[in-house]
């Protein structure tokens, strides 16, 4: 780790303007390893404000419970007003079409009768021809009750006693969200049971449970709103589908990916995350699986799984070697010699093959362990940083404000540093998963990636050490420190530099390290020019 005194020599710029060429390699990077070549440049305040607004611009909206209920009520009122139906009927229609108001309107005006039949809303419901206080038989328990005190009917007119209605609805509510599509108890009837009837018949706890299902359906049936997956969080997130990054940070501080609902994992894609998580969960079985179900490619020695019936195997690109699964001989020479696959092999020959397979499994496990340990270490460090952030905001910020005689608003740079550390630990963690799946044969890309990753990691360690250890000096001081403003400038600078390092790393990975080609081309051109000059 470099000296902390080098912070004044770091530059806060985009790596897209950096010159990687040192003329000595395909990917010239050594000239950038020294912090002495960086000069801190003070940006124009307007540029800083623009950059900050771009970074903090969100493509999503956090919805609390009251926001969700207000939106749902607005949609219900819209449908009820435009279609001239009751509130209960509007809810039934919206549930049918996944709470899409425009779809309800389109379908209704295209064919109202078809929609009514589909959802169970009768246009001209029958009227019960029953005199007041006349006894009516319940269609479920067959007991006689006076009407309307003891008997209730849905829009279809099928009469059932209030006790049976109550039992029917409460059972449906206890069974789950299916109660939102409740129909008349008569098996031959398709009439829908509306929210107004449920509120009239059941106890308050069942009404509340039904309303919770209704609110949840508003989110879960939506195409652009999801619940925050954090435990005990009741917020939802409305996302602008088709916008840039899929990462979302809820008001509860939990970050997750909109597409797969796993924790936020930019810059790697969802497929890689799913594959990495699956591998981590099953790694204890991997070595035995490799030994039991794979063989090494005779040419590149990578483990090969047989997934088809014939014995003709082809190693994946770029190797492409074709061989026989049984004898591991070249497939093109396979038919020229007789007895290749059915010849008995001696014990020494079998031991040699088994040793080769075990060595292959060992190397595979060592490589995985290298990346997993760093992935897990950054995850652990991130969790510790989050705890330190909360402790700093709740306790240390007030203490520091009193000691240094500065308002808490002027100490925001410390919170910014901790937030940057938490975010960078998350990004760095997932870059190790990316490095594991980066093809081993793409050496140029790998060296370029490891260079960017190393620069970002070094910057992060400097920032983390500064805010974690140097801050304690000012927290333990008995009086205001004369050099506290110098510490502010240093920490602010480190935060900005680290952010830029990680921005560069993220952009490079999201572009699949495409800059390697241009950097390599520039290096090759410079080399040719240099050769031409020397020849002259």
């Amino acid at each position: 780790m470099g000296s902390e005194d080098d912070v004044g020599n770091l530059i806060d710029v985009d790596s897209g303007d950096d010159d990687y060429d040192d003329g000595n390699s395909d990917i010239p990077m050594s000239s950038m390893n020294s912090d002495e070549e960086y000069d801190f440049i003070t940006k124009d305040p307007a540029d800083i404000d623009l950059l900050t607004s771009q970074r903090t611009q969100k493509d999503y909206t956090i919805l609390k419970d009251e926001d969700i209920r207000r939106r749902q009520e607005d949609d219900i009122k819209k449908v009820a007003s435009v279609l001239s139906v009751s509130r209960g009927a509007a809810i039934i229609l919206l549930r049918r079409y996944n709470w899409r108001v425009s779809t309800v309107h389109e379908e209704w005006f295209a064919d109202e009768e078809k929609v009514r039949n589909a959802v169970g809303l009768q246009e001209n419901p029958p009227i019960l021809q029953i005199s007041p206080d006349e006894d009516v038989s319940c269609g479920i328990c067959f007991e006689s009750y006076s009407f309307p005190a003891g008997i209730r009917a849905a829009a279809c007119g099928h009469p059932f006693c209030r006790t049976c209605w109550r039992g029917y609805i409460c059972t449906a509510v206890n069974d789950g969200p299916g109660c939102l599509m409740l129909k008349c108890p008569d098996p031959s009837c398709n009439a829908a049971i509306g929210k107004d009837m449920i509120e009239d018949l059941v106890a308050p706890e069942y009404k509340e449970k039904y309303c919770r299902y209704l609110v949840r359906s508003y989110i879960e049936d939506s195409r652009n709103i999801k619940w925050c997956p954090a435990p005990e969080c009741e917020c939802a997130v409305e996302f602008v589908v088709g916008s840039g990054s899929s990462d979302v940070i809820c008001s509860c501080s939990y970050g997750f990916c909109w597409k797969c609902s796993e924790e936020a994992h930019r810059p790697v894609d969802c497929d890689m995350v799913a594959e990495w998580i699956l591998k981590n969960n099953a790694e204890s079985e991997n070595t035995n699986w490799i030994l039991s179900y794979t063989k090494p490619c005779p040419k590149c020695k990578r483990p090969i799984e047989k997934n088809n019936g014939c014995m003709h195997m082809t190693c994946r690109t770029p190797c492409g070697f074709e061989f026989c699964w049984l004898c591991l001989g070249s497939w093109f020479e396979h038919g020229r010699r007789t007895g290749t696959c059915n010849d008995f092999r001696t014990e020494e020959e079998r031991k040699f093959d088994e040793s080769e397979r075990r060595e292959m499994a060992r190397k595979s496990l060592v490589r995985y362990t290298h990346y997993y340990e760093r992935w897990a270490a950054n995850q652990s460090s991130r969790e510790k940083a989050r705890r330190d952030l909360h402790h700093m905001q709740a306790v240390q910020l007030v203490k520091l404000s009193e000691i240094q005689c500065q308002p808490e608003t002027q100490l925001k740079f410390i919170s910014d540093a901790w937030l940057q550390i938490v975010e960078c630990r998350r990004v760095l963690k997932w870059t190790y998963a990316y490095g594991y799946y980066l093809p081993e044969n793409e050496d140029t890309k790998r060296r370029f990636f490891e260079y960017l990753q190393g620069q970002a990691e070094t910057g992060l360690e400097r920032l983390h050490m500064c805010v974690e250890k140097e801050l304690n000096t000012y927290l333990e001081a008995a009086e205001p420190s004369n050099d506290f403003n110098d510490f502010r400038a240093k920490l602010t600078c480190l935060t900005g530099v680290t952010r830029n390092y990680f921005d560069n790393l993220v952009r490079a990975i999201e572009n699949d390290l495409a800059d390697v080609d241009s950097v390599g081309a520039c290096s090759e051109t410079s080399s040719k020019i240099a050769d031409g000059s020397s020849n002259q």
Side-chain angles (χ1 to χ4, degrees), residues 10-28:
L10 295 175
I11 186 169
D12 187 9
V13 297
D14 191 308
S15 70
D17 299 327
D18 293 340
D19 182 8
Y20 295 104
D21 191 6
D22 65 356
N24 297 323
S25 64
D26 293 337
I27 296 191

Side-chain angles (χ1 to χ4, degrees), residues 413-523:
F413 70 98
I414 302 176
S415 298
D416 292 342
W418 274 117
L419 288 169
Q420 190 64 50
I421 290 169
V422 170
E423 173 63 11
C424 289
R425 287 294 178 192
R426 181 194 66 76
V427 172
L428 187 60
K429 176 182 77 167
W430 285 111
T431 62
Y432 279 104
Y434 178 86
Y436 177 79
Y437 290 108
L438 193 63
E440 295 182 63
N441 60 290
E442 296 187 9
D443 186 61
T444 306
K445 278 189 174 182
R446 175 170 294 281
R447 287 191 291 121
F448 181 58
F449 161 72
E450 289 176 350
Y451 162 73
L452 292 176
Q453 185 188 49
Q455 290 288 87
E457 190 163 17
T458 300
L460 174 58
E461 293 302 336
R462 285 178 177 172
L463 174 63
H464 205 158
M465 186 176 69
C466 180
V467 74
E468 191 173 51
K469 296 183 178 179
E470 292 187 33
L471 181 62
N472 290 332
T473 303
Y474 304 99
L475 283 168
E476 296 170 358
E479 58 184 12
S481 305
N482 294 329
D483 61 345
F484 185 73
N485 286 333
D486 294 335
F487 171 74
R488 180 203 309 275
K490 178 180 179 180
L491 186 58
T492 302
C493 177
L494 278 174
T495 302
V497 169
T498 304
R499 180 190 301 116
N500 285 334
Y501 277 143
F502 275 85
D503 285 348
N504 296 336
L505 177 60
V506 167
R507 280 196 298 269
I509 293 176
E510 290 181 335
N511 292 332
D512 196 26
L513 303 176
D515 290 343
V516 168
D517 298 330
S518 60
V519 171
C522 291
S523 176

Side-chain angles (χ1 to χ4, degrees), residues 272-341:
M272 184 177 291
V273 170
E275 189 173 354
W276 178 253
I277 292 175
L278 182 64
K279 183 174 185 62
N280 292 345
N281 293 337
E283 185 55 36
S284 61
E285 303 295 332
N286 277 1
T287 303
N288 291 333
W289 188 91
I290 290 173
L291 292 173
S292 301
Y293 298 104
T294 71
K295 291 184 179 182
C297 168
K299 183 178 179 182
C300 69
K301 306 304 180 183
R302 296 177 69 180
I304 303 293
E305 177 190 7
K306 185 175 181 294
N307 57 6
N308 285 320
C310 71
M311 303 301 169
H312 181 188
M313 308 296 295
T314 303
C315 186
R316 69 175 61 177
T317 55
C319 177
F321 184 68
E322 299 182 41
F323 62 95
C324 172
W325 175 257
L326 295 177
C327 67
L328 300 181
S330 171
W331 187 261
F332 296 104
E333 299 179 0
H334 194 257
R336 300 175 186 176
R337 297 178 295 175
T338 57
T340 299
C341 293

